Structure formats: C-alpha cells, structure tokens
Amino acid sequence: MSDALARPAAAGTSAPPRSNAVVAVLALAGIVVALMQTLVIPIVPELPKLLDAPASDTAWAVTATLLAAAVATPVVGRLGDMVGKRRMLLVSIVMLIAGSLVCALADSLVPMIAGRALQGLAAAVVPLGISILRDTVPADKLAGSTAVMSASLGVGGALGLPTAAFIADNWDWHVLFWTSAALGVVSLLLVLVVVPESKTRTGGRFDLVGSLGLSAGLVALLLAVSKGADWGWTSGTTLGLGAAAVVILAAWGWWELKAEQPLVDLRTTAKAQVLFTNLASIALGFSMFAMSLVLPQLMQLPEQTGYGLGKSMMTVGLVLAPQGFVMMVMSAVSAQITKAKGPKVTLMIGALIVAAGYGLNILLMSEVWHLVLVSCVIGAGVGFTYGAMPALIMGAVDPSQTGAANSLNTLMRSLGTSFASAIAGVILAQMTTDFGGYALPSENGFKVVMAIGAGAALVAFLLAGFIPKNKQTAVQPSVAEEAEETTPVKA
C-alpha cells in the first residue's frame, strides 16, 4: 500500500474520497480505450481511398488491433502481477498514445496498420484497472467500483461511434487520432497523479516461452476466424492456421502445466468458479457482438428493402449512445445485487436480460425507437454481466494473480466476439435478398443472427448455473481494507 493511502487513514479522514478519485480515473482510462476501439468504424468504408490501398489490405487496420489486443491482454496482465499493475497500466496508456500519434501522422497503409496495432496493445487497461481496484478500494465498495470500471467499456463504445462519426463528417479524418492521443495524455497524467501502486506482486521470472506460445496460438486462431470469410473457410490457409492453432495451444498448455512460474496458472483456471465464469464470458462475448453487427446494418440499409431504416452513421451512433449510459446506471444496481445475493446471481440475471433483449429485437425492428429500446435492454443486461464476471474471478484467485486472471477473462470475451463475427458473417452472406442487382442481408438473416445471440446468452445463463454455490465468491480483503483494520484512527 502506498503512503498516499496510509496518511489519510492515520489522520482520521475516511478512505472513500481517495477511493472515488481512483475509480473515476481508472474508469476514464477504460472509456478512452473503448473509444479507441470504435474510433475507426465510421471511416472503414473510406480507408481504401484515404490510404490508396485495396479494401482487402485496409481491413488489416481493424484486424491488427484485434490481434495485438489478444496477444497483449494476458501478457500485460501477468506482468502487472509481477512488476506492478499501475506500472503496466501506464505502459499500456503510452502504447495507446503512441499508436494514436502514428495513425494521426499516417497517410499510407503500413503506418496506419502499425499505429492500430500499437493501440491494440492498450487493451489490458480495463482488466488491470479492475485488479488495481481490488488492491486499493475498501472491500465494501469494491463491487460497485468494479461494476463501474467494467461499464466504462460500454460507455466508451457508445460514445465513441457518434463522436467519431461527427468528427469524420466535419474535419479531416486524422483529427480522430489526434483526439485519441489527447485523451490518452489526459488519462496518463491523471493515473500518475491519482492512482497508487499496489505492493501486491508475485515477482519471479517471466514465462517467455509461454508468452510466445500463447501469442502464436492466438494469432493463428484469430487469423483463421477473422479472415476465413475472405480467404475461404475451406482454403489451405484457413485450415492450416486452424490446425496450427490447435497444435500450438495444446503444446502451450503442456508447457504451462510443467512450468514453475507459468504465464497462466491453468490449475487455477480449471477451478469450477473460474472455468465456468470464463466459459460464460465466451458465450456472452458472442452474444453481445451480434447486436453490434445487426443494429447498425438494419439502420443503414435502404428503406426500400422494406426492413432497412436508411439512416446515417451519425444517427446510428446517437441511437446506440443511450446503451452506454444504461450500462453505467445498471452497474450500480448490479453491485447491490452482488452484495446481497452474490455475483453468480447477478451474472445469471444479466444473461437473461440480454436474451430477452434479442427476443424483443426479433419482434421490434421496424422503427428507430424499437432499436433504441432493444439496445438499452441489452445494455442493461451487459451492465449486470460486466460487473459480475470480474467479481467471480477475483473471488476465486489469489490477490497476486488478479491481473493475469482478469486479463484472461477479458480475452475470453474477445474470443467470443471474434467467433460471433465469423458466424454472423457467414449467415448474413448466405441469407440475402436481391436489391437492384446487389445482394443484401435479408430480414430473416438478421432474425437468425438475433436468435443465435439470444441462444448464446441463454448458454451463458446455463454455464453460470454450474458456478459452485457454496464456494467463496466474495473478494478477499483488499490492501485498502487491511490498512483500515490495522491503522489506528484518531478519535
């Protein structure tokens, strides 16, 4: 624990004001990272012209971020446990700033891809922030703080789309990345000033072999999943990468089980509470991406199709924006349920709400207000689940492993979204309707994807039911609470 936390306690002041500042700064950092992920969406169709490159090549501006995030998240989480979570949080934000600056100065494809990859390396900010909260926030406030930090992803994503669309419509596209860099600098300075470093560290030797193995396996897997539609699902490249992923990840698992200081403690990961939470996270990641794919397309397709609403990207962003605020409000509600009933119940409630939102979407999809309602219902469910998953993970692992464990859970959600993108893409490509000689996704295609999204949420509900009831799910006392118990307070 830092002296900055100890001194106020010794002086008789309460910890919450300091804790509230830490939560606010970490949530802001999470929002900035989420903004980065949606920042490029409005200009994706224009990238071939802007960068003077084929669309198949400019797609790497998105794929590079996905791959970098998948590789960085577990590695940075483990390093956070070893050398300091705040230190690695600062490194991640610096990567975000550097990537934003590279993109802001880019006028060709290669620097754009490099900058987007650097931005992807910042993906561990949210799991690191959640782990920092465990070490610095009193236990009675941890559920609410974790839920707010988790909801920052939704708030950033919801605000990012309309903001990016507005900037792209009114200024040069480089302004998007100058804005991202500026927000990154603000976050960096606030973390330096407000967030303390935890002394809960494992130390030891970094598992370089495990890091390289996991990175290679994930890259092979995600390339096969994300580019399979372009390359062909039965092409030699796609099948070869899929086979390589299976072999590499199997070898990696064997290495991790025999390593003295593994990158990922697979024995801890195999605990029922961690295992079923991670499996539910994959299903929820799958489910939540379906909405991100379906709603924008429904809104932008021409009205003449009979089911499209013919709206602009700016309108799409404004329609989806309320979802983020609903997530933030529901995070407070989910924290209260977690305190009263435990995070398992919160997770199951959230999964059911997400499933209900998709069911509603199948019936209501012909008006703008229908989609606002649907996105808010799904956002409410996401707010519940995002707050519950970190609580379940932290309730089952040692405090010295929270960075790696939370990062792995974040990776599981990312894998779910990648699988959803691939499967939904196949469905929408197969279920089409002719519109002026062009094949567009059909209304039934969208309904099938929404039904699958609902099914994935129900699978998450069932998986959450296997989380042990009688196991300890409350988070162990944080450093901040231990200090309150051991530091004398003046009367």
Side-chain angles (χ1 to χ4, degrees):
M1 180 187 68
S2 68
D3 292 337
L5 283 178
R7 281 194 298 269
T13 58
S14 60
R18 176 72 180 186
S19 300
N20 292 341
V22 172
V23 174
V25 168
L26 292 175
L28 175 63
I31 289 172
V32 171
V33 169
L35 282 169
M36 174 273 299
Q37 293 175 344
T38 57
L39 207 60
V40 76
I41 291 177
I43 63 170
V44 165
E46 304 296 323
L47 284 178
K49 181 176 68 175
L50 296 173
L51 301 175
D52 190 24
S56 58
D57 291 341
T58 58
W60 285 97
V62 176
T63 305
T65 308
L66 169 69
L67 297 179
V71 169
T73 301
V75 172
V76 173
R78 174 60 178 154
L79 286 171
D81 287 335
M82 292 176 62
V83 304
K85 303 177 186 75
R86 176 179 178 268
R87 180 176 298 174
M88 295 312 301
L89 177 68
L90 292 170
V91 170
S92 297
I93 297 174
V94 168
M95 291 296 101
L96 171 65
I97 297 170
S100 300
L101 291 175
V102 171
C103 291
L105 296 169
D107 283 311
S108 59
L109 181 63
V110 173
M112 182 69 169
I113 293 175
R116 290 290 292 164
L118 284 171
Q119 286 186 317
L121 296 178
V125 162
V126 171
L128 282 173
I130 292 171
S131 301
I132 289 171
L133 291 176
R134 181 181 190 178
D135 296 340
T136 58
V137 173
D140 63 329
K141 296 184 177 295
L142 187 56
S145 300
T146 300
V148 168
M149 183 70 202
S150 297
S152 67
L153 279 172
V155 175
L159 295 178
L161 196 55
T163 302
F166 178 76
I167 292 174
D169 286 345
N170 291 279
W171 290 284
D172 180 80
W173 64 275
H174 293 90
V175 175
L176 290 169
F177 297 101
W178 288 116
T179 303
S180 175
L183 291 172
V185 170
V186 171
S187 296
L188 182 72
L189 294 175
L190 287 173
V191 170
L192 284 169
V193 172
V194 175
V195 178
E197 181 62 272
S198 167
K199 290 185 178 179
T200 305
R201 303 182 190 177
T202 61
R205 180 183 300 174
F206 180 68
D207 181 13
L208 180 60
V209 173
S211 171
L212 294 174
L214 180 60
S215 299
L218 287 173
V219 167
L221 175 63
L222 290 173
L223 276 177
V225 170
S226 62
K227 305 297 286 185
D230 296 330
W231 295 336
W233 292 107
T234 58
S235 70
T237 303
T238 302
L239 294 176
L241 284 170
V246 171
V247 172
I248 293 171
L249 291 175
W252 170 78
W254 170 81
W255 171 266
E256 293 298 282
L257 287 172
K258 67 186 284 291
E260 291 185 9
Q261 296 178 329
L263 178 74
V264 177
D265 188 342
L266 293 181
R267 291 179 176 85
T268 298
T269 305
K271 290 181 179 179
Q273 184 164 316
V274 178
L275 176 63
F276 285 107
T277 300
N278 283 333
L279 291 175
S281 298
I282 295 174
L284 284 166
F286 187 105
S287 178
M288 289 182 288
F289 185 80
M291 178 198 64
S292 303
L293 186 68
V294 168
L295 266 60
Q297 289 196 59
L298 275 175
M299 293 194 64
Q300 290 182 283
L301 285 175
E303 290 184 80
Q304 292 83 350
T305 59
Y307 51 91
L309 301 180
K311 303 301 180 182
S312 66
M313 178 61 76
M314 183 69 187
T315 304
V316 172
L318 292 174
V319 166
L320 296 180
Q323 179 195 35
F325 296 104
V326 170
M327 284 180 64
M328 187 62 76
V329 171
M330 286 299 105
S331 69
V333 178
S334 74
Q336 294 303 315
I337 295 176
T338 294
K339 287 182 181 179
K341 301 294 184 180
K344 171 183 175 177
V345 173
T346 307
L347 178 58
M348 296 178 77
I349 291 173
L352 287 179
I353 294 174
V354 171
Y358 280 112
L360 198 62
N361 199 183
I362 295 174
L363 301 174
L364 301 176
M365 55 185 291
S366 59
E367 302 287 344
V368 170
W369 72 267
H370 290 172
L371 302 187
V372 174
L373 174 63
V374 166
S375 67
C376 287
V377 172
I378 294 175
V382 172
F384 275 75
T385 61
Y386 268 18
M389 288 185 288
L392 284 164
I393 294 296
M394 291 190 294
V397 304
D398 187 86
S400 64
Q401 297 179 328
T402 53
N406 278 322
S407 295
L408 184 63
N409 181 252
T410 300
L411 176 62
M412 294 300 105
R413 290 203 299 271
S414 298
L415 290 177
T417 60
S418 298
F419 295 140
S421 175
I423 293 174
V426 169
I427 292 170
L428 295 180
Q430 295 297 318
M431 301 183 69
T432 61
T433 184
D434 182 76
F435 182 76
Y438 293 93
L440 297 179
S442 67
E443 182 178 12
N444 285 335
F446 287 122
K447 288 183 176 181
V448 168
V449 172
M450 288 183 283
I452 292 174
L458 292 176
V459 168
F461 171 81
L462 294 174
L463 289 168
F466 287 100
I467 296 172
K469 240 192 255 186
N470 299 322
K471 294 278 185 181
Q472 176 67 21
T473 56
V475 178
Q476 297 177 18
S478 64
V479 173
E481 187 182 48
E482 289 175 355
E484 287 183 349
E485 293 174 353
T486 58
T487 304
V489 179
K490 293 182 181 179

